[in-house]
Amino acid sequence: MFYMNMQPISNRCEVITIESTDSFAYAVSYYMRILQALTTKEKLFFGFYRQNGVGLSRNEWLQYDAAITNFFAKDKRVCKDIVKNKNEIYLWAANAPRDVDTLEMIPKFCQYYLHTLFFEPRVDWEAFLTVYPLYMKTDLCNFVEKGIADILFSYDDDGVFSIAFNPERFSHQRMITELEQCKLLL
Protein backbone atom coordinates (compact mmCIF):
# COMPACT_ATOMS: atom_id res chain seq x y z
CA MET A 1 0.00 0.00 0.00
CA PHE A 2 1.25 3.48 -0.88
CA TYR A 3 0.58 6.62 1.14
CA MET A 4 0.91 9.88 -0.75
CA ASN A 5 1.18 13.39 0.63
CA MET A 6 1.31 16.44 -1.63
CA GLN A 7 2.52 19.81 -0.37
CA PRO A 8 2.66 23.06 -2.31
CA ILE A 9 5.84 24.65 -0.96
CA SER A 10 5.80 27.80 -3.09
CA ASN A 11 4.36 28.89 -6.42
CA ARG A 12 7.57 27.48 -7.96
CA CYS A 13 7.74 24.11 -6.19
CA GLU A 14 5.51 21.31 -4.95
CA VAL A 15 6.59 18.13 -3.20
CA ILE A 16 4.93 14.73 -3.30
CA THR A 17 6.02 12.25 -0.66
CA ILE A 18 5.24 8.58 -1.10
CA GLU A 19 5.63 5.97 1.61
CA SER A 20 5.05 2.29 1.08
CA THR A 21 4.19 -0.54 3.42
CA ASP A 22 5.12 -3.02 0.70
CA SER A 23 8.47 -4.70 0.10
CA PHE A 24 11.35 -2.61 -1.23
CA ALA A 25 11.27 -4.50 -4.54
CA TYR A 26 7.57 -3.78 -5.06
CA ALA A 27 7.83 -0.14 -4.00
CA VAL A 28 10.91 0.54 -6.11
CA SER A 29 9.20 -0.88 -9.20
CA TYR A 30 6.54 1.81 -8.71
CA TYR A 31 9.15 4.53 -8.16
CA MET A 32 11.06 3.47 -11.27
CA ARG A 33 7.87 3.63 -13.37
CA ILE A 34 7.36 7.17 -12.09
CA LEU A 35 10.93 8.12 -13.01
CA GLN A 36 10.56 6.66 -16.50
CA ALA A 37 7.20 8.38 -17.06
CA LEU A 38 8.41 11.81 -15.95
CA THR A 39 11.91 11.98 -17.43
CA THR A 40 12.86 12.12 -21.07
CA LYS A 41 16.33 13.64 -21.37
CA GLU A 42 19.50 11.71 -22.06
CA LYS A 43 21.34 12.38 -18.79
CA LEU A 44 20.69 12.08 -15.07
CA PHE A 45 22.59 13.73 -12.22
CA PHE A 46 22.82 12.04 -8.84
CA GLY A 47 23.70 12.96 -5.31
CA PHE A 48 24.54 10.30 -2.75
CA TYR A 49 24.79 10.77 1.00
CA ARG A 50 26.61 8.27 3.22
CA GLN A 51 26.96 4.61 2.49
CA ASN A 52 24.34 2.77 4.48
CA GLY A 53 23.36 -0.75 3.61
CA VAL A 54 21.53 -1.34 6.91
CA GLY A 55 19.00 -3.56 5.15
CA LEU A 56 21.69 -5.46 3.23
CA SER A 57 23.48 -8.65 4.15
CA ARG A 58 27.29 -8.53 4.09
CA ASN A 59 27.24 -10.39 0.78
CA GLU A 60 24.71 -7.94 -0.75
CA TRP A 61 26.76 -5.01 0.57
CA LEU A 62 29.88 -6.32 -1.18
CA GLN A 63 27.92 -7.06 -4.39
CA TYR A 64 26.41 -3.55 -4.49
CA ASP A 65 29.76 -1.93 -3.69
CA ALA A 66 31.41 -3.78 -6.59
CA ALA A 67 28.46 -3.18 -8.97
CA ILE A 68 28.41 0.58 -8.24
CA THR A 69 32.19 0.88 -8.58
CA ASN A 70 32.09 -1.01 -11.90
CA PHE A 71 29.12 1.01 -13.12
CA PHE A 72 30.89 4.35 -12.65
CA ALA A 73 34.14 3.00 -14.15
CA LYS A 74 32.46 2.84 -17.56
CA ASP A 75 32.68 5.58 -20.19
CA LYS A 76 30.27 8.58 -19.94
CA ARG A 77 29.68 8.00 -16.21
CA VAL A 78 31.20 10.01 -13.39
CA CYS A 79 31.09 9.69 -9.61
CA LYS A 80 33.04 12.30 -7.72
CA ASP A 81 33.85 12.56 -4.01
CA ILE A 82 32.49 15.88 -2.78
CA VAL A 83 32.78 16.03 1.01
CA LYS A 84 35.02 14.06 3.34
CA ASN A 85 34.98 13.98 7.12
CA LYS A 86 38.50 12.97 8.18
CA ASN A 87 39.09 9.96 5.92
CA GLU A 88 35.44 9.06 5.40
CA ILE A 89 33.63 10.24 2.27
CA TYR A 90 30.00 11.01 2.92
CA LEU A 91 28.83 13.02 -0.09
CA TRP A 92 29.18 12.11 -3.76
CA ALA A 93 27.95 13.71 -6.98
CA ALA A 94 27.49 11.62 -10.09
CA ASN A 95 26.17 11.70 -13.61
CA ALA A 96 25.27 8.99 -16.08
CA PRO A 97 23.28 8.59 -19.27
CA ARG A 98 19.60 7.85 -18.82
CA ASP A 99 19.76 4.36 -20.24
CA VAL A 100 18.77 0.83 -19.27
CA ASP A 101 21.99 0.23 -17.30
CA THR A 102 21.51 3.39 -15.24
CA LEU A 103 17.84 2.68 -14.58
CA GLU A 104 18.76 -0.82 -13.38
CA MET A 105 21.34 0.63 -10.97
CA ILE A 106 19.04 3.14 -9.26
CA PRO A 107 17.49 0.55 -6.88
CA LYS A 108 21.01 -0.47 -5.85
CA PHE A 109 21.91 3.17 -5.21
CA CYS A 110 18.79 3.54 -3.07
CA GLN A 111 19.71 0.57 -0.89
CA TYR A 112 23.44 1.28 -0.72
CA TYR A 113 23.26 4.95 0.25
CA LEU A 114 21.48 6.59 3.16
CA HIS A 115 20.01 9.19 0.79
CA THR A 116 19.85 9.18 -3.02
CA LEU A 117 18.93 12.20 -5.12
CA PHE A 118 18.45 12.03 -8.90
CA PHE A 119 17.16 14.36 -11.59
CA GLU A 120 17.39 15.59 -15.16
CA PRO A 121 19.65 18.63 -15.01
CA ARG A 122 18.90 22.09 -16.32
CA VAL A 123 22.49 23.14 -15.52
CA ASP A 124 25.87 21.79 -16.55
CA TRP A 125 27.97 19.45 -14.43
CA GLU A 126 30.27 22.16 -13.05
CA ALA A 127 27.33 24.28 -11.89
CA PHE A 128 25.85 21.26 -10.10
CA LEU A 129 29.17 20.58 -8.36
CA THR A 130 29.15 24.08 -6.89
CA VAL A 131 25.65 23.77 -5.38
CA TYR A 132 25.44 20.14 -4.37
CA PRO A 133 27.76 20.40 -1.34
CA LEU A 134 25.20 22.81 0.17
CA TYR A 135 22.39 20.27 -0.31
CA MET A 136 22.30 19.08 3.29
CA LYS A 137 21.75 22.68 4.41
CA THR A 138 18.76 23.20 2.14
CA ASP A 139 15.77 21.23 0.82
CA LEU A 140 14.62 19.60 -2.41
CA CYS A 141 12.68 22.65 -3.52
CA ASN A 142 15.80 24.76 -3.49
CA PHE A 143 17.07 22.80 -6.51
CA VAL A 144 13.79 23.37 -8.36
CA GLU A 145 13.42 27.04 -7.38
CA LYS A 146 16.99 27.83 -8.41
CA GLY A 147 16.47 26.27 -11.86
CA ILE A 148 18.82 23.31 -11.40
CA ALA A 149 16.03 20.86 -12.22
CA ASP A 150 12.34 20.98 -13.13
CA ILE A 151 11.75 17.69 -11.34
CA LEU A 152 13.85 15.98 -8.73
CA PHE A 153 13.50 12.55 -7.11
CA SER A 154 14.76 11.57 -3.69
CA TYR A 155 14.90 8.30 -1.77
CA ASP A 156 15.75 7.98 1.93
CA ASP A 157 16.74 4.74 3.60
CA ASP A 158 13.58 4.92 5.72
CA GLY A 159 11.64 4.10 2.53
CA VAL A 160 10.36 7.59 1.73
CA PHE A 161 10.35 8.54 -1.96
CA SER A 162 9.88 12.24 -2.72
CA ILE A 163 9.29 14.18 -5.91
CA ALA A 164 9.90 17.93 -5.97
CA PHE A 165 8.70 19.61 -9.14
CA ASN A 166 8.07 22.91 -10.84
CA PRO A 167 4.25 23.24 -11.12
CA GLU A 168 4.67 25.48 -14.18
CA ARG A 169 6.30 22.57 -16.01
CA PHE A 170 4.39 19.68 -14.38
CA SER A 171 0.85 20.57 -13.40
CA HIS A 172 -0.60 19.25 -10.18
CA GLN A 173 -3.22 17.29 -12.11
CA ARG A 174 -0.65 15.82 -14.52
CA MET A 175 1.41 14.57 -11.57
CA ILE A 176 -1.60 12.89 -9.94
CA THR A 177 -2.60 11.31 -13.26
CA GLU A 178 0.95 10.03 -13.94
CA LEU A 179 1.28 8.59 -10.43
CA GLU A 180 -2.06 6.81 -10.71
CA GLN A 181 -1.22 5.42 -14.16
CA CYS A 182 2.13 4.14 -12.90
CA LYS A 183 0.37 2.45 -9.98
CA LEU A 184 -2.06 0.72 -12.35
CA LEU A 185 0.87 -0.85 -14.22
CA LEU A 186 2.08 -2.72 -11.13
Side-chain angles (χ1 to χ4, degrees):
M1 176 170 275
F2 296 102
Y3 298 97
M4 189 175 1
N5 179 21
M6 185 172 276
Q7 300 172 313
I9 304 298
S10 71
N11 62 352
R12 293 182 17 230
C13 185
E14 289 187 33
V15 176
I16 299 171
T17 304
I18 304 170
E19 295 183 57
S20 175
T21 58
D22 297 305
S23 70
F24 174 78
Y26 185 76
V28 83
S29 66
Y30 176 49
Y31 305 150
M32 293 306 298
R33 288 184 188 280
I34 294 168
L35 172 70
Q36 292 172 334
L38 296 172
T39 61
T40 58
K41 295 183 181 172
E42 296 177 6
K43 180 173 281 220
L44 293 172
F45 282 3
F46 296 87
F48 305 120
Y49 176 70
R50 285 205 189 277
Q51 295 173 345
N52 183 27
V54 170
L56 300 176
S57 69
R58 172 116 173 101
N59 188 37
E60 288 171 323
W61 171 268
L62 294 172
Q63 287 176 353
Y64 285 16
D65 185 62
I68 290 168
T69 300
N70 291 337
F71 175 79
F72 284 113
K74 294 180 182 174
D75 191 32
K76 297 184 181 176
R77 299 176 184 155
V78 176
C79 188
K80 182 176 175 124
D81 304 349
I82 299 296
V83 178
K84 293 182 182 184
N85 182 6
K86 297 184 183 180
N87 292 329
E88 182 185 0
I89 301 166
Y90 65 91
L91 198 64
W92 296 262
N95 71 59
R98 184 191 175 277
D99 59 17
V100 171
D101 291 338
T102 300
L103 296 174
E104 287 177 0
M105 285 301 295
I106 291 174
K108 290 180 175 89
F109 298 154
C110 291
Q111 287 192 294
Y112 187 75
Y113 294 102
L114 188 65
H115 183 85
T116 302
L117 174 78
F118 42 104
F119 62 95
E120 290 180 326
R122 290 190 57 209
V123 297
D124 66 21
W125 177 242
E126 294 304 318
F128 175 56
L129 291 178
T130 63
V131 252
Y132 184 60
L134 306 172
Y135 169 66
M136 298 313 270
K137 297 177 183 176
T138 184
D139 62 24
L140 297 178
C141 276
N142 198 22
F143 282 82
V144 173
E145 291 170 342
K146 292 193 183 289
I148 295 165
D150 283 326
I151 189 165
L152 182 129
F153 306 91
S154 169
Y155 184 82
D156 289 319
D157 77 327
D158 60 0
V160 175
F161 181 76
S162 299
I163 307 165
F165 63 97
N166 179 343
E168 292 176 5
R169 173 101 182 351
F170 298 91
S171 73
H172 178 88
Q173 187 55 49
R174 175 184 175 198
M175 292 300 289
I176 297 299
T177 301
E178 291 286 354
L179 295 176
E180 290 301 320
Q181 286 178 350
C182 290
K183 198 183 301 181
L184 292 173
L185 296 173
L186 292 175

